[in-house]
Amino acid sequence: MLTPTVTPSSAPAAPLRTPAGKLIPLNRTSARPATALRQAAHCSSCAMRHLCMPQGLAADEMPKLEALICTAQTVKRGSTLYRSGEPFSNIYAVRSGSLKTVLTHRDGREQVTGIHLAGEALGLDGISEDTHTCNAVALEDSSVCIIPYDALKTLCRETSAMQHRLHKLMGEQIVRETSQMMLLGSLNAEERVATFLLDVSERHARRGYSPSEFHLRMTREEMGSYLGMTLETVSRMLSRFQKRGVIELEGKLIRITDFPALRNM
Amino acid sequence: MLTPTVTPSSAPAAPLRTPAGKLIPLNRTSARPATALRQAAHCSSCAMRHLCMPQGLAADEMPKLEALICTAQTVKRGSTLYRSGEPFSNIYAVRSGSLKTVLTHRDGREQVTGIHLAGEALGLDGISEDTHTCNAVALEDSSVCIIPYDALKTLCRETSAMQHRLHKLMGEQIVRETSQMMLLGSLNAEERVATFLLDVSERHARRGYSPSEFHLRMTREEMGSYLGMTLETVSRMLSRFQKRGVIELEGKLIRITDFPALRNM
DNA sequence: CGACCGTTTGAGTGAGGTCAACCGCTGTGG
DNA sequence: CCACAGCGGTTGACCTCACTCAAACGGTCG
């Protein structure tokens, strides 16, 4: 399935040429403020493996989608991939690592609005306003694939399979967010943490990783922000789960030992 | 701007023919269980006025978008436009009235995940799974425009302006939902209600209605569910605002008398 | 080695939930 | 036409869940 091996190479800043011979200028990319170390790399199939493969599609499902070329970029832990207010021109596919998206209230309060693991998409928040509406920050040293939105739109008009994939991607974000609204609006602290653990577990499984053992790369505070509670409450819930024998935890390493119990919360 | 006058007419159940002469079968529509009284009506420009006009676009912005034909449908107060689990085939534009979308937890708890006023879109939750993931229920006698998703996709591949509009529509939902996550995760009860009133006010204004005086068609309970709190707390907050002279209320009729105060919460 | 960060755990508090009573309106059936 | 039931809304009293504040600990980095 997804092999999140970063393949950084030397960075040719010149326009890239697709297999089909089409030119895709990179000016948009280079115009964006360099908030993170950037490493460009040819990765003609990478975009597909990540933008299109999410949710495990067969590789042969998309015919000539290899036509989209994009570059890779690394984002160091804690650094910002894009910021609220910046012009939107690319969407991203996480190649390796993970990022969070953060919405900042005018009074400074921050809310983590999304966690994006390897193989998942990022940046769709910018489509509606041509401007990003949140900050994307790496939770660990990560690598993302840059997919120029304009080129993608063109491609979507040419092949319906690609159009289908993009629509699914946006639709999935919509569904994920409504689930999160349910979590924030209707569940208590224990249920929120349990639901979150199961969600992360399932997303790991979908990528071929162990569903029962994984690292939570974020801090308790970030988890709390995402779940609408304080870091102390997150910690207490995790301790409670451990005491009940539902999980084992060593710092950020989580091992789920009793899935049914977790699901019954 | 938007004139939410329902124009019901007799219902021709036969396939409709677009101005361009293309056939758009209605079998998908008629296959859906009739959970609400259905009134079909030609409305070739209506889809555009609503799907494309949202956020007040100039009518001349889209060239040959009149090509999309759809039917209108009325939904009585309390009845369901679509249900979770039903196959997805149409998106909807609210012509008049308003609807809520509701997500149901397995234990029966319900969360209102969206309020959709006249001129706004509905049904995007079904795109990701080809199945609706929530229930859409009318808050008052309403009328919606049915936009066949397959036909819309085809159109989006033909004209980039249409593609642009659909992407914006989905992007707007994504942004709206992240804002709601911020509200649910970070704001207290007073701030939530204030934010909600300002949001509804702004959406009314965008459609040319009074921003300072409007009917909240939903019950306190529905409002509470949307805002992640109980109906009693909603009632208390509204009473508090009235006591402070920030709003006047007569049942469901709200008059905002002090916008700055509302914004400073 | 010391400073700092992330985490855990405890004690006390408060915002909002729960339960209950009451009011007004609407619709219905005698 | 009225009586009554039921629903939606408001308000009060009480309680609880999660927040706040604080202390202590381990790991990491300079």
Side-chain angles (χ1 to χ4, degrees):
Chain A
M1 182 69 45
L2 171 136
T3 49
T5 48
V6 193
T7 46
S9 69
S10 63
L16 296 174
R17 192 170 288 274
T18 70
K22 226 176 294 177
L23 277 180
I24 299 179
L26 287 179
N27 57 325
R28 205 167 282 97
T29 303
S30 55
R32 210 155 31 72
T35 55
L37 183 71
R38 176 160 303 126
Q39 287 186 299
H42 287 276
C43 128
S44 64
S45 66
C46 133
M48 297 308 97
R49 295 189 79 103
H50 295 266
L51 174 64
C52 302
M53 296 281 282
Q55 318 337 335
L57 281 192
D60 57 275
E61 194 188 334
M62 34 208 126
K64 53 174 186 173
L65 303 183
E66 306 288 327
L68 189 68
I69 275 213
C70 66
T71 58
Q73 175 177 344
T74 62
V75 196
K76 283 236 166 290
R77 183 192 138 87
S79 72
T80 305
L81 177 61
Y82 60 78
R83 279 178 214 283
S84 173
E86 282 180 16
F88 163 75
S89 46
N90 304 304
I91 64 178
Y92 304 89
V94 183
R95 298 180 77 198
S96 64
S98 52
L99 299 91
K100 64 174 176 179
T101 44
V102 182
L103 204 59
T104 308
H105 198 70
R106 49 183 164 76
D107 64 8
R109 269 177 291 186
E110 292 193 340
Q111 170 78 26
V112 173
T113 56
I115 304 290
H116 307 262
L117 307 182
E120 299 174 341
L122 192 62
L124 299 175
D125 59 276
I127 290 180
S128 79
E129 315 265 357
D130 286 322
T131 295
H132 283 293
T133 58
C134 59
N135 297 353
V137 180
L139 293 170
E140 59 191 307
D141 289 1
S142 303
S143 152
V144 300
C145 216
I146 302 174
I147 301 156
Y149 176 59
D150 281 349
L152 182 62
K153 271 203 302 195
T154 304
L155 196 57
C156 286
R157 267 179 276 123
E158 289 167 2
T159 75
S160 73
M162 195 65 193
Q163 180 191 36
H164 191 238
R165 288 306 306 144
L166 179 58
H167 285 193
K168 289 250 164 177
L169 222 52
M170 298 177 72
E172 277 156 19
Q173 173 125 357
I174 288 171
V175 170
R176 210 178 0 257
E177 287 179 355
T178 56
S179 294
Q180 194 67 6
M181 286 172 57
M182 157 69 84
L183 179 146
L184 292 168
S186 299
L187 306 191
N188 64 27
E190 186 175 287
E191 294 167 327
R192 291 183 201 193
V193 175
T195 304
F196 175 70
L197 291 181
L198 289 171
D199 180 46
V200 172
S201 160
E202 208 241 328
R203 285 154 73 185
H204 273 266
R206 198 179 294 169
R207 301 290 150 193
Y209 300 125
S210 167
S212 58
E213 189 173 342
F214 47 84
H215 277 277
L216 286 176
R217 302 294 178 163
M218 68 217 75
T219 65
R220 301 288 188 254
E221 184 170 22
E222 288 163 331
M223 221 186 301
S225 172
Y226 184 55
L227 300 177
M229 54 207 250
T230 60
L231 67 98
E232 293 95 331
T233 304
V234 172
S235 178
R236 274 185 252 270
M237 293 304 129
L238 290 175
S239 299
R240 182 188 294 181
F241 292 170
Q242 189 178 32
K243 217 159 286 167
R244 288 188 197 158
V246 176
I247 66 171
E248 294 168 16
L249 74 153
E250 304 167 25
K252 293 190 189 304
L253 180 69
I254 302 266
R255 183 169 320 117
I256 301 178
T257 51
D258 189 348
F259 276 93
L262 217 48
R263 289 199 190 93
N264 284 333
M265 309 221 215
Chain B
M1 181 73 43
L2 172 135
T3 48
T5 48
V6 194
T7 46
S9 69
S10 63
L16 295 175
R17 192 171 287 275
T18 71
K22 226 175 295 179
L23 277 179
I24 299 179
L26 287 179
N27 57 326
R28 203 166 285 98
T29 303
S30 54
R32 207 157 33 70
T35 55
L37 182 72
R38 177 158 303 127
Q39 288 187 298
H42 286 278
C43 123
S44 65
S45 65
C46 132
M48 297 309 97
R49 297 187 77 106
H50 295 266
L51 174 63
C52 302
M53 297 280 282
Q55 319 336 334
L57 281 191
D60 58 275
E61 195 189 333
M62 39 217 120
K64 52 173 188 176
L65 302 183
E66 305 288 327
L68 189 67
I69 275 212
C70 66
T71 56
Q73 175 176 343
T74 62
V75 195
K76 284 236 166 292
R77 183 192 138 87
S79 72
T80 304
L81 177 60
Y82 59 79
R83 279 178 213 284
S84 173
E86 282 179 16
F88 163 74
S89 46
N90 305 304
I91 64 177
Y92 304 89
V94 183
R95 299 180 78 198
S96 65
S98 52
L99 299 90
K100 64 174 176 180
T101 43
V102 182
L103 204 59
T104 307
H105 198 69
R106 50 184 163 74
D107 65 8
R109 269 176 291 185
E110 292 193 339
Q111 169 78 27
V112 173
T113 56
I115 303 290
H116 306 262
L117 306 181
E120 299 175 342
L122 193 61
L124 300 175
D125 58 275
I127 290 180
S128 79
E129 315 266 357
D130 286 322
T131 296
H132 283 292
T133 57
C134 61
N135 297 352
V137 180
L139 293 170
E140 58 190 307
D141 289 1
S142 302
S143 150
V144 300
C145 216
I146 302 175
I147 301 156
Y149 176 59
D150 281 349
L152 182 63
K153 271 203 300 194
T154 304
L155 196 58
C156 285
R157 266 179 277 121
E158 290 166 1
T159 75
S160 74
M162 195 64 193
Q163 181 191 36
H164 191 239
R165 288 306 306 144
L166 179 58
H167 285 193
K168 289 250 164 178
L169 222 52
M170 297 178 74
E172 277 156 17
Q173 173 127 355
I174 288 171
V175 170
R176 211 180 358 259
E177 287 180 354
T178 56
S179 294
Q180 193 68 6
M181 285 172 57
M182 157 69 84
L183 179 146
L184 292 168
S186 300
L187 306 191
N188 64 29
E190 185 175 287
E191 294 167 327
R192 291 182 201 195
V193 175
T195 304
F196 175 70
L197 292 181
L198 289 170
D199 180 47
V200 172
S201 160
E202 209 240 329
R203 287 154 72 185
H204 273 266
R206 197 178 295 169
R207 303 287 150 193
Y209 300 124
S210 166
S212 58
E213 189 173 343
F214 47 85
H215 277 278
L216 287 176
R217 302 294 177 164
M218 68 216 75
T219 64
R220 300 288 189 253
E221 184 170 22
E222 288 164 331
M223 221 187 302
S225 171
Y226 184 54
L227 300 176
M229 54 208 246
T230 59
L231 66 98
E232 292 95 331
T233 304
V234 172
S235 178
R236 276 186 252 271
M237 292 304 129
L238 289 175
S239 299
R240 183 188 294 181
F241 291 170
Q242 188 177 33
K243 218 159 284 168
R244 289 188 197 157
V246 176
I247 65 171
E248 293 168 16
L249 73 153
E250 305 166 24
K252 293 188 188 303
L253 179 70
I254 302 266
R255 184 174 344 193
I256 301 178
T257 52
D258 189 348
F259 276 93
L262 217 49
R263 290 198 190 93
N264 285 332
M265 308 219 222

